[in-house]
Amino acid sequence: MSQDAVAETITPQSIGDAARAIADAAAQRRAIYSVGGRTHFEYGCPPGRPGIALCTTAMQEVIDYSFRDLTITVGAGMRLHRLAEILAQQSQFLPIDFVFGGDSTIGGMVAWSPPGPRSYRWGSIRDYVLGMRAIDGDGRSFCVGGRVVKNAAGYNVTRLLTGSWGTLALIGEVTLMVRPLPEQRRLWSWSVKGPEELERLLSCLIASRCEPSAIEVIGGTWWDREPVLATVGENGPFRVAVVLEGAARELDGLWDTLWRELTEAELRIGEEIPVESYDRLSGFLAEIPRSGVVYELDVRPSRVVAGLELLSNLRPRASYLAHAGTGKILVFEESGDEFTPEVAAQLRAAVMPLDGRLVVLRFPWSGTWERVAVWGPVSPTGRYMQGLKDRFDPHGILNPGRYVFPP
Amino acid sequence: MVGAENLITRPSELVVYECDGYTLEKETPPAVVFPNSTEAVASVVRVCREHEVPVLARGAGTGLAGGATPLGGGVVLSLARMKKILDISLRDRMVHVQAGVLNLELSSLLSDTHWHFAPDPSSQVACTIGGNIATNAGGPHTLKYGVTVNHVLGVTWVAGTGEVIQVGPEATSAEFDWIGLWTGSEGTLGVATEAWLRLTPLPLAHRTFRVIFQSVEDACNAVSRIIAAGLIPAAMELMDRGILQAVEDAFHFGFPSEAEAILVVELDGIPIALDEQERIVAQLCRDCHAQEIVSAASEEERALLWRCRKSAVGAVGRLSTGYFIQDGVVPRTRLPELVRRVANIGCERGVRIVNVAHAGDGNIHPILLFDERDPDEVRRAMAAGRAILEACIELGGSITAEHGVGIEKLPLMTALFSPDDLDVFWRVKRVFDPANIMTPGKLLPPPPRLSQQDEKNGQPR
Ligand SMILES: Cc1cc2nc3c(=O)[nH]c(=O)nc-3n(C[C@H](O)[C@H](O)[C@H](O)COP(=O)(O)OP(=O)(O)OC[C@H]3O[C@@H](n4cnc5c(N)ncnc54)[C@H](O)[C@@H]3O)c2cc1C
């Protein structure tokens, strides 16, 4: 099964249209695949059966922008670069990395909730969705949350839907909490020779009082195309990058603080690198070739170095970006053919002693991958996930096959 | 299951558990159990499920919406004896604790480090981590640091099925955001028995000052302007004249008696940035007719200022024998209007209302005073409380920002949500609590329609 299974595309102009389309599909038991900017359609499992693509990009209006309240309500089909432009006019921003680039839609980001480097300081998109309007698998629309920054009425269904890969409901409209745009961003980088030095540096950075926005460990040949991020030659095998954000004078002060902390810990001082490199880092998923494999390894922050060592032993040709502060390691292998379900199983077994989890986010759909090879063993919460799935999407028409649920 | 020493059934001892901080409705429970492990909690829930006996989780009972009040019988399951600190890992910026640990205990535990657990409800000396999770508690510093859910990395959860589920502390894309869903569920989806909490570095410096205004509205306008100017202070807390009088009686801080409103503003971060921010905040306050701006001169003064704010509610006892604390929230720019309406509602109904507010979040706590012996006064106060929440809804807000729905706000759920929205909540409820034994009759109004499927199998499919 592939992208061809989804030959027909409909583009509803409003939530009402979308609800009717889903109700119709439900009546006929036809599958609906929600798509936004199609920037990460090849992530997750392939469509489980033929169906219709429901494209949200026509639902892209600003419904309400109360910039003095730092909240905005937009259609789920709004592209991230447009959202960023609108917010920038009021010197505001959504503190989320556009990991698939600015063409992704806000709905797509909410549906997956992929963490980026800056989630260390800012949290993930879950922390910014205040409310939403969504449509369940019966075509019924409902509202959850609201437009206030603190809300304890009812269950946090916004959080349930965020990151559920569109399997419970189609997200039609979202209200977001936004933040004042920091004046500046600066980056520093270190090349690090071995795991011990890496561990000392990371410990110091994580204990730092200067609140870095991101603490990244970079490795592998993918990064060689960006000279300041390269890890080959005299450098490496690791490179560490730290991002600080704030007002201009504040940043000087923060860097001074970090400088003192590093000196006290007898660690080298990093060199400042051009701020543009940050876009290469945070947007790398949008650039890598389609033939590749992407997987995430989740460990506690204190086990990141062990995780990376294990990775370099088992997958020496992999490139990665490790969010060292949150413990999420994103791995990329250019040649997808070499990464088989058996390899995934081997890696999964290897990270078990670290309490690590492995999820394969992208793999060539031509291969034969069982669900368990992609998502890992069914967790004890599996039956609760299925219970919710059955109640939100009783006919199983929303994104069948794409996520952990069998199609 | 828990041992006789961990069970009370004597009426004289049970009275303590007849309500929480919301005292207008009470009922003595038949029994209170004090399990001391996750397994014991799970056994209690399983037995109760078998016998269809309601289970009510209870932390410290400081809740203000009746969430921990045992209406309709059932077993009170107290987490008070689950007080172990299981692990502190500063390298992971994380502590692992049992649910009965007190919020403030974390601060003392970490006092010789530069870390803290950011959610700081004013009740933090008494309330538990489990209660904080169950209500998604906030506090003065929520403005910058977020509410409880933003600081929970993992949870051990006993669902209403009696099953133990551990989620986190490692995140994974292969699961729904259970922590997000359970946080704020007020004991109706299960019981938190352990949690992994994220630690936040203490800021390098603070600037804390109190600003005196001639009117509450001016103070609220200042709050709006500060936020609109792109500043997010660590906290912006409001106290009106009524509450100041009580606070002054209790703490003799030296607030001028003619002040109509005081805003406590705290900026934190790196000193070099704070000077500039303080200048801007002061200017914006003056633009809103601030009469006086005084910085805390020392760490002691700052601590006292915070003590005044955090103990403000407790000091209300000096004003009235009976009171109840409302919890409404509106988009922050609507706060001046809400404050006006609260005052009008008080006048119209002859109810004395004093106010504290986490103003930076648009979250106000009007405190309605009454004489408990006068049923008519109680009735009027209740009606006024309801009118305030209706005003919040009208202004685009919500009926609770942090105290939860409990029993007190139940009647307003249908005003805030449509039947379809409420039905969505019920779907969640049935999956985690198929027998409807976890605190039944709280948070959710009765279901509009019971699906036949659920009546039949009573199990998550
Ligand atoms: C003076 C005062 C000031 C306050 N200030 C604030 C404030 O600034 N911010 C704020 O958010 N709140 C505040 N509160 C309200 C209250 O303190 C919080 O809601 C607190 O989180 C409740 O914790 P608790 O341990 O007392 O829980 P309880 O009152 O015992 O229970 C509260 C609810 O949580 C459920 N529950 C308790 N423990 C668990 C568990 N382990 N698992 C599942 N469910 C559980 C109960 O069933 C109940 O529904 C204040 C209260 C008072 C009295």
Side-chain angles (χ1 to χ4, degrees), chain A residues 66-71 92 112 115 120-121 126-127 136 140-145 147-157 159-160 162-165 167-168 177-180 199 202-203 206-211 249-250 252-254 257 296 298-305 324-325 328 354-357 359 361 375 379-381 383-392 403-405, chain B residues 90-94 114-115 135-136 139 142-144 147 149-150 159 161 163 165 167 169-178 180-181 183-186 188-189 196 198 201-204 224 227-228 230-232 270 272-273 329-333 358 361 363 396-405 413 416-417 420-421 423-425 427-432 443-444 449 454 459-461:
Chain A
S66 310
F67 65 90
R68 293 164 61 93
D69 288 325
L70 297 176
T71 62
Q92 295 179 349
W112 185 9
Y120 180 55
R121 168 168 173 196
R126 292 187 164 120
D127 299 303
D136 72 9
R140 264 193 292 172
S141 80
F142 59 89
C143 286
V144 285
R147 290 187 188 182
V148 284
V149 295
K150 251 161 92 182
N151 196 347
Y155 300 134
N156 274 325
V157 177
R159 287 210 169 229
L160 173 65
T162 305
S164 64
W165 293 60
T167 55
L168 297 179
M177 171 166 76
V178 297
R179 291 265 151 178
E199 176 54 33
L202 293 181
S203 299
I206 283 179
S208 171
R209 302 188 73 174
C210 74
E211 280 192 86
R249 288 179 60 199
E250 192 179 1
D252 290 337
L254 291 173
T257 307
E296 65 173 33
D298 292 294
V299 291
R300 290 177 198 190
S302 60
R303 294 172 185 163
V304 164
V305 176
K328 188 167 284 282
L354 301 177
D355 291 328
R357 301 274 303 252
V359 171
L361 297 171
W375 305 102
S379 82
T381 59
R383 69 192 195 105
Y384 298 92
M385 289 182 90
Q386 191 64 50
L388 287 165
K389 173 73 177 165
D390 293 345
R391 283 172 169 78
F392 279 84
Y403 190 40
V404 295
F405 306 108
Chain B
L90 298 184
R91 175 64 179 79
D92 289 312
R93 298 184 53 172
M94 180 160 87
H114 66 271
W115 300 99
T135 56
N136 195 13
T142 298
L143 177 57
K144 176 166 173 184
V147 284
V149 70
N150 306 112
T161 52
E163 193 175 2
I165 311 170
V167 173
E170 297 85 3
T172 161
S173 303
E175 289 203 30
F176 291 159
D177 181 7
W178 300 122
L181 181 64
T183 304
S185 62
E186 301 184 41
T188 63
L189 300 178
W196 287 261
R198 192 166 74 99
L202 287 168
L204 286 160
S224 283
I227 297 281
L231 286 175
I232 308 268
I270 189 142
I272 195 170
V329 58
V330 289
R332 356 193 187 216
T333 45
H358 306 303
D361 294 315
N363 177 199
S398 172
I399 56 175
T400 169
E402 52 179 27
H403 293 170
V405 175
M413 286 293 277
L416 187 62
F417 294 106
D420 280 346
D421 304 343
D423 179 60
V424 165
F425 293 151
R427 296 180 209 175
V428 173
K429 167 81 171 165
R430 290 196 184 108
V431 168
F432 286 98
L443 189 141
L444 287 176
R449 43 184 176 253
D454 284 300
Q459 281 247 14
R461 279 172 281 163

Side-chain angles (χ1 to χ4, degrees), chain A residues 59-62 74-80 82-83 86 105-106:
Chain A
M59 300 190 282
Q60 49 137 343
E61 63 286 16
V62 177
V74 297
M78 180 176 282
R79 302 208 188 240
L80 294 175
R82 183 151 167 255
L83 177 65
I86 294 167
T105 59
I106 183 68

Side-chain angles (χ1 to χ4, degrees), chain B residues 90-391:
Chain B
L90 298 184
R91 175 64 179 79
D92 289 312
R93 298 184 53 172
M94 180 160 87
V95 291
H96 179 198
V97 299
Q98 286 187 324
V101 166
L102 302 186
N103 177 298
L104 197 66
E105 217 176 303
L106 289 180
S107 313
S108 3
L109 188 74
L110 297 162
S111 62
D112 57 353
T113 73
H114 66 271
W115 300 99
H116 75 306
F117 177 59
D120 61 337
S122 307
S123 52
Q124 69 191 140
V125 282
C127 64
T128 64
I129 293 302
N132 293 165
I133 292 173
T135 56
N136 195 13
H141 291 84
T142 298
L143 177 57
K144 176 166 173 184
Y145 293 97
V147 284
T148 300
V149 70
N150 306 112
H151 302 273
V152 182
L153 295 168
V155 170
T156 303
W157 189 258
V158 177
T161 52
E163 193 175 2
V164 178
I165 311 170
Q166 190 200 310
V167 173
E170 297 85 3
T172 161
S173 303
E175 289 203 30
F176 291 159
D177 181 7
W178 300 122
I179 295 172
L181 181 64
W182 294 335
T183 304
S185 62
E186 301 184 41
T188 63
L189 300 178
V191 185
T193 57
E194 291 175 17
W196 287 261
L197 307 172
R198 192 166 74 99
L199 301 177
T200 304
L202 287 168
L204 286 160
H206 295 102
R207 294 292 154 76
T208 311
F209 40 97
R210 58 183 199 276
V211 189
I212 296 174
F213 289 91
Q214 280 165 319
S215 78
V216 177
E217 259 185 87
D218 282 346
C220 292
N221 281 326
V223 169
S224 283
R225 294 248 197 131
I226 292 167
I227 297 281
L231 286 175
I232 308 268
M236 282 201 275
E237 297 283 308
L238 178 99
M239 294 186 277
D240 75 358
R241 183 182 184 130
I243 194 111
L244 278 170
Q245 188 195 329
V247 169
E248 194 54 32
D249 281 356
F251 299 100
H252 313 290
F253 185 85
F255 295 119
S257 57
E258 69 284 358
E260 281 300 328
I262 281 187
L263 199 60
V264 177
V265 181
E266 184 155 283
L267 298 163
D268 72 13
I270 189 142
I272 195 170
L274 294 183
D275 294 337
E276 172 73 358
Q277 289 178 19
E278 186 170 3
R279 200 186 51 72
I280 299 172
V281 169
Q283 188 53 52
L284 292 169
C285 288
R286 276 193 289 271
D287 292 350
C288 296
H289 322 295
Q291 280 181 310
E292 194 187 50
I293 303 175
V294 188
S295 296
S298 62
E299 191 48 40
E300 291 72 47
E301 208 174 302
R302 170 173 174 259
L304 181 60
L305 197 53
W306 276 118
R307 194 144 63 91
C308 289
R309 165 58 193 92
K310 290 194 175 176
S311 311
V313 172
V316 172
R318 293 170 180 261
L319 299 177
S320 168
T321 53
Y323 58 88
F324 97 95
I325 304 161
Q326 202 37 285
D327 171 38
V329 58
V330 289
R332 356 193 187 216
T333 45
R334 311 305 295 273
L335 198 57
E337 166 141 26
L338 178 63
V339 164
R340 241 188 338 263
R341 293 219 200 167
V342 169
N344 288 343
I345 289 167
C347 283
E348 282 161 16
R349 293 168 199 256
V351 178
R352 182 161 177 220
I353 303 176
V354 300
N355 294 288
V356 285
H358 306 303
D361 294 315
N363 177 199
I364 188 167
H365 295 314
I367 303 171
L368 300 93
L369 313 182
F370 53 81
D371 179 348
E372 242 168 334
R373 292 158 306 185
D374 179 345
D376 180 53
E377 228 176 80
V378 176
R379 244 191 325 272
R380 276 185 285 127
M382 296 286 286
R386 191 183 160 115
I388 290 171
L389 297 183
E390 280 163 351

Side-chain angles (χ1 to χ4, degrees), chain A residues 103-125:
Chain A
D103 278 340
S104 305
T105 59
I106 183 68
M109 286 296 273
V110 171
W112 185 9
S113 181
R118 287 185 299 166
S119 56
Y120 180 55
R121 168 168 173 196
W122 297 102
S124 76
I125 196 159

